[in-house]
Amino acid sequence: MSATISLREVAPLSIPGVESGSPIVIAGPCSAETEEQTLDTARALSATGVKVFRAGLWKPRTKPGSFEGVGDKGLPWLQRVKSETGMLVTTEVATVEHVRAALDAGVDILWVGARTTANPFAIQDIADQLQGHDEVTVLVKNPVNPDLELWLGALQRILSAGVTRLAAVHRGFSSAGAHIYRNDPQWHIPFELRRRAPHMTILCDPSHIGGKREFVEPLSQLALDAGFDGLMIECHCEPDTALSDSAQQVTPTAFKHILERLVVRSGAPIDDELSLLRQQIDDCDHELLAVLARRMSVSREIGLFKKAHNLRVVQPARYQDVMKARIAEGSTLGLPEDFTQQIIQAIHEESVRQQLNLLNDNNE
Ligand code: PEP
Ligand code: MN
């Protein structure tokens, strides 16, 4: 086996027809459903200048009984897309059988989906199957759980199989609780991936992050501004009738308008280590503020409860317990005692202030 290069050495992807420095845009339906839907969408996208067409054939679905893709039957449809439009084609592979079938059919780019990236056994099987196919390009989506090491591990396994045409796709992370997006972006994770693999192409998939078509454009702009090298966008000729991910797919016409409005700024600081670290700081602050806002809203609910039950706002024993527990937890995380104390004090003060306001607001 030849010596493996490290992720630090992985070079940017080059796609015929896409100038270096321009975003690589991959578009196409979540799933290929019929030959007509696949070809209609592909022709419309090709006319907008897209060079890589995506369509899922084997679909990982959360629950049984949903549409699980057309499977091998769709491979000739992708071959037609290739020969008629000249676009490269890509589909998701999750098993060795998928890899074999896609390679035999001449699929140019394989992508590994989020559920598969989370499973090192499956990734290793795929990597073994890719040995000797160093002409293929592989995209590795982030795992469903926010674990950078798992993402890096999957990329390394594919790289170790000799696949150097390798790139990553950020599609957000599953998370419990209500969020505006379908998947939590946790931008600091792809930013840290960028720092560890500074030249490797990293694309953003705004469709799966946002989960709704109205989020595709703002998330795409945000991704380009943050230094992602391109986008993977789900596009369907009739999104409302799509058999999977209907709410997040856009028509080729809407896609064209999005592309026209996107501003591509030059000089994204992709090699600048300090900028990458600062992006992570910005994202952490953003999360901190969101958590603080959520905490205050819980606190106001508690305020209403106290008011309804005629309880005092400040309960000194509870405050002492909270403070003690937070200081202990903080110190296991390496935070100095007085630092944690000051922060909890400030939060508690604001919390009390908001609850007192509620109490004194006599009309509600
Ligand atoms: C997809 O791209 O259609 C898909 C299933 O993606 P993910 O693995 O990101 O959920
Ligand atoms: Mn999808």
Side-chain angles (χ1 to χ4, degrees):
M1 212 177 84
S2 59
T4 308
I5 63 168
S6 78
L7 287 173
R8 286 216 153 259
E9 297 163 289
V10 170
L13 268 194
S14 83
I15 300 288
V18 180
E19 275 176 45
S20 112
S22 296
I24 295 173
V25 179
I26 300 176
C30 178
S31 306
E33 297 164 7
T34 64
E35 180 163 20
E36 194 190 11
Q37 166 254 3
T38 306
L39 267 294
D40 283 355
T41 310
R43 288 187 195 113
L45 288 173
S46 177
T48 71
V50 167
K51 303 294 178 211
V52 186
F53 179 76
R54 63 151 282 155
L57 300 180
W58 301 282
K59 299 303 298 177
R61 305 312 301 279
T62 304
K63 296 202 177 106
S66 346
F67 171 67
E68 292 189 332
V70 295
D72 295 38
K73 191 172 95 182
L75 287 165
W77 309 345
L78 294 185
Q79 288 170 329
R80 263 193 81 184
V81 168
K82 238 177 114 158
S83 62
E84 280 191 28
T85 68
M87 287 189 284
L88 301 182
V89 292
T90 178
T91 198
E92 173 170 351
V93 291
T95 67
V96 294
E97 290 77 18
H98 300 161
V99 175
R100 228 178 279 140
L103 291 178
D104 287 349
V107 173
D108 309 279
I109 302 176
L110 311 181
W111 92 73
V112 175
R115 292 154 194 80
T116 310
T117 307
N119 177 355
F121 290 124
I123 289 287
Q124 192 56 53
D125 285 346
I126 289 171
D128 293 344
Q129 191 62 35
L130 287 167
Q131 286 276 356
H133 290 279
D134 46 16
E135 75 292 354
V136 74
T137 299
V138 178
L139 311 178
V140 179
K141 289 192 160 197
N142 63 258
V144 277
N145 48 328
D147 183 342
L148 175 65
E149 297 304 322
L150 206 47
W151 199 1
L152 287 164
L155 287 158
Q156 276 156 3
R157 286 179 201 271
I158 306 286
L159 188 60
S160 300
V163 176
T164 53
R165 300 178 53 82
L166 188 63
V169 183
H170 172 47
R171 49 77 80 201
F173 303 92
S174 297
S175 68
H179 284 278
I180 52 169
Y181 298 138
R182 175 178 176 186
N183 287 300
D184 189 357
Q186 304 220 17
W187 299 103
H188 57 279
I189 294 180
F191 296 157
E192 179 59 15
L193 173 65
R194 166 77 79 204
R195 208 169 66 86
R196 308 263 199 111
H199 313 293
M200 185 178 71
T201 296
I202 307 180
L203 307 177
C204 178
D205 173 345
S207 309
H208 287 91
I209 293 178
K212 289 202 184 115
R213 60 185 66 109
E214 64 263 33
F215 291 137
V216 172
E217 180 169 347
L219 282 168
S220 297
Q221 187 64 62
L222 202 155
L224 293 185
D225 292 344
F228 283 82
D229 305 298
L231 303 164
M232 180 189 262
I233 295 180
E234 285 193 339
C235 228
H236 190 291
C237 47
E238 281 180 57
D240 290 335
T241 66
L243 299 179
S244 59
D245 289 351
S246 161
Q248 70 196 31
Q249 302 203 61
V250 295
T251 61
T253 311
F255 169 81
K256 181 169 176 270
H257 291 139
I258 292 173
L259 278 198
E260 285 164 356
R261 284 189 295 260
L262 282 181
V263 181
V264 182
R265 298 182 171 88
S266 62
I270 57 163
D271 288 332
D272 180 339
E273 187 124 3
L274 182 60
S275 304
L276 288 167
L277 289 167
R278 284 184 172 151
Q279 278 181 316
Q280 292 186 52
I281 289 285
D282 291 350
D283 193 44
C284 288
D285 286 353
H286 172 79
E287 277 187 46
L288 267 176
L289 293 175
V291 171
L292 283 175
R294 188 149 52 86
R295 194 189 189 283
M296 286 305 159
S297 118
V298 174
S299 184
R300 283 192 298 275
E301 289 219 19
I302 293 177
L304 290 174
F305 182 92
K306 287 175 178 165
K307 185 177 179 177
H309 294 82
N310 233 357
L311 296 170
R312 284 188 195 148
V313 164
V314 182
Q315 312 247 331
R318 161 75 183 155
Y319 179 50
Q320 284 313 317
D321 290 348
V322 167
M323 182 61 92
K324 238 171 98 186
R326 299 301 179 267
I327 287 176
E329 195 178 337
S331 72
T332 66
L333 296 169
L335 299 173
E337 207 171 290
D338 54 343
F339 175 73
T340 308
Q341 187 170 4
Q342 280 172 31
I343 288 177
I344 298 296
Q345 230 161 32
I347 294 173
H348 182 255
E349 267 171 39
E350 176 57 18
S351 221
V352 167
R353 197 187 64 80
Q354 296 208 15
Q355 292 190 0
L356 286 173
N357 278 350
L358 282 173
L359 201 66
N360 296 324
D361 179 2
N362 291 325
N363 303 324
E364 249 309 330

